[in-house]
Amino acid sequence: MTTLDSVDPLLTFAVAWEPYGGASAADVFVEFGLHMAEYRRRLAEQLTSPSAEQLEPALRERLLAYSTRPPRRTRRVGE
């Protein structure tokens, strides 16, 4: 298990949601007030910074892949 002592809250949140395929856009907005694209951009930035060095390498790679892949398009009612 990775411990995140004094790490950015964004990383802590991403690690907590990683086993579930990542947080939903609604969860991200409630937690940080960010749209998914901005959350993923900031997450990628954090994952390439020294603060993410304490993450297990495999976890870091999975999170980086998640943060850089295009978001899934959700269907809206009536589409």
Side-chain angles (χ1 to χ4, degrees), residues 2-76:
T2 300
T3 58
L4 297 172
D5 301 326
S6 68
V7 171
D8 187 277
L10 210 68
L11 284 178
T12 303
F13 182 81
V15 167
W17 279 98
E18 192 273 335
Y20 310 103
S24 70
D27 290 319
V28 169
F29 191 79
V30 167
E31 187 71 22
F32 300 107
L34 299 173
H35 292 283
M36 201 61 150
E38 179 64 11
Y39 165 73
R40 287 180 181 216
R41 186 195 68 74
R42 290 184 188 189
L43 179 58
E45 187 177 281
Q46 285 298 316
L47 289 164
T48 57
S49 75
S51 65
E53 289 176 358
Q54 61 185 302
L55 292 175
E56 297 168 0
L59 174 60
R60 188 176 182 180
E61 288 303 312
R62 286 192 308 271
L63 288 172
L64 194 54
Y66 164 79
S67 69
T68 57
R69 77 175 168 235
R72 291 178 291 193
R73 177 150 161 39
T74 56
R75 295 184 60 136
R76 295 181 185 203

